[in-house]
Amino acid sequence: ACHARHPRSHGRPRRVPSGRVSGIDLRAADPRVRLAGIVDLTAMARGSLTERLPAWARAQLVDPAIGFVSSMPSGGRLEFVTDSTTIELEAVFTRLEYGGVTPHTATIDLVVDGEVAGSEALTATDVIRFPDRTSLDFEMVHTDPSVIRFDGLAAGRKHVEVWLAQNATAMLRELRLDDNATVEAPPPSERRRWVHYGSSISHCMEAEHPTGTWPAVAARAAGVDLYSLGLAGQCQLDQFAARTIRDLPADLISLKLGINVVNADSMRERAFVPAVHGLLDTIRDGHPDTPIVVISPIICPAAEDHSGPTLPNLDGRFDVVERPDELTVGALSLERIRELLAIVVVQRRAAGDSNLQYLHGHELFGAADVDDLPDGLHPNSAGYQRMGERFVSYAFAPSGPFGRPVA
């Protein structure tokens, strides 16, 4: 059983129930709790903000949006071993709102010994309120911290994972357990570490559960340890992203590239190809032999054979912006980006990088899947589930780039 308590709804200060203790202060890293998929914590007045990019990388940002989306812990979770039958998490979550509507459900998932044991929606959170999707003006609305409670868990030691919402920022405050319960960090794992970099289609704000992002679906099915750098709107082949991946421990790496370059119309062919090479060069500085899969964009009907930028129209579907013919030279459509990525991979493999592979994005989500592409750009939960399953079938098969040879 699980339920969420929001102190303001009771009209009185929160009290810890009898038989409970304040357990672990999460405002600073605690060796008993592994912050998986999270590189850093930033101390704030109301808690510690989860970060997926290191502080030195965030210092190089000019667009505040990337700092915001990198603090949304897509793929982030708290891992520990405990005999507690109750788990409470107190945190401050912040979501986006447009015109009075929060577009996506935000949930916390509890996984016990590898199985999803509970899920709870976040109903009362801080909100960054925009009048519409095109406005840069916003209002910040605060509420009390949320307390998410999962109880009725089986007695005995168990490996617990608290998967944080991928579409809300999280300021961690406290983890609470049964009185006299034991808690310790998970033992060293033999699971391989998979680092994935991508756009909103890897961040997966539209997924109904944090365990339902396609990288999470794939990682859980394949039994690997996920570090997700899915950064909504911000997969622009930045060197700080490349250096972050270079410096992270990684046994497997995947890079889903191209859609944000078209969305923002941020590069032409001249800049894009060297940027892809530069990204790979930097990553290879730290991971010279690690298997890398370069994934091209999934289908986006409006931009398949037309260059960007893309913008949502009045019905919320994404469409391209027309431009004069004289401004189309070197502009990138998704078809052209796929061709260029394939050429880069072939060229580098010919130069000796046999651990580099290319995957056409339509293999994960193509023309037959567009019914699960409600806004013309982002899959829904069913689409993300299929993407994760298909990536497992491709990458983690015995003969796949992430497969292990059959003994």
Side-chain angles (χ1 to χ4, degrees), residues 315-330:
D315 65 4
R317 292 184 61 81
F318 282 81
D319 207 347
V320 293
V321 176
E322 297 295 336
R323 71 175 83 204
D325 289 343
E326 56 268 26
L327 297 182
T328 62
V329 178

Side-chain angles (χ1 to χ4, degrees), residues 119-133:
S119 183
E120 189 58 49
L122 300 174
T123 56
T125 70
D126 283 12
V127 174
I128 300 176
R129 182 171 291 163
F130 292 88
D132 55 58
R133 287 186 176 274

Side-chain angles (χ1 to χ4, degrees), residues 66-213:
I66 189 170
F68 185 74
V69 299
S70 68
S71 65
M72 290 179 167
S74 182
R77 65 256 182 223
L78 313 179
E79 292 189 6
F80 50 94
V81 174
T82 185
D83 56 5
S84 181
T85 61
T86 304
I87 308 293
E88 275 191 1
L89 173 66
E90 181 176 300
V92 176
F93 300 98
T94 302
R95 302 176 63 198
L96 297 173
E97 180 182 290
Y98 302 97
V101 176
T102 49
H104 311 302
T105 300
T107 62
I108 307 297
D109 286 348
L110 182 74
V111 174
V112 177
D113 291 334
E115 300 295 329
V116 177
S119 183
E120 189 58 49
L122 300 174
T123 56
T125 70
D126 283 12
V127 174
I128 300 176
R129 182 171 291 163
F130 292 88
D132 55 58
R133 287 186 176 274
T134 62
S135 177
L136 297 179
D137 296 325
F138 65 88
E139 174 190 10
M140 186 75 196
V141 181
H142 296 290
T143 188
D144 292 325
S146 295
V147 178
I148 302 298
R149 178 182 171 97
F150 299 96
D151 53 22
L153 305 180
R157 285 168 53 86
K158 46 200 166 284
H159 185 148
V160 173
E161 303 169 38
V162 180
W163 285 70
L164 302 170
Q166 81 281 9
N167 46 19
T169 67
M171 283 190 286
L172 303 178
R173 291 168 62 86
E174 196 169 57
L175 177 70
R176 293 189 285 270
L177 309 169
D178 294 337
D179 196 10
N180 297 321
T182 62
V183 59
E184 60 191 55
S189 174
E190 295 184 357
R191 292 183 301 164
R192 293 176 294 169
R193 187 111 183 284
W194 172 31
V195 175
H196 175 73
Y197 173 54
S199 67
S200 59
I201 300 166
S202 297
H203 192 142
C204 306
M205 289 196 192
E206 300 76 17
E208 295 174 2
H209 293 274
T211 55
T213 70

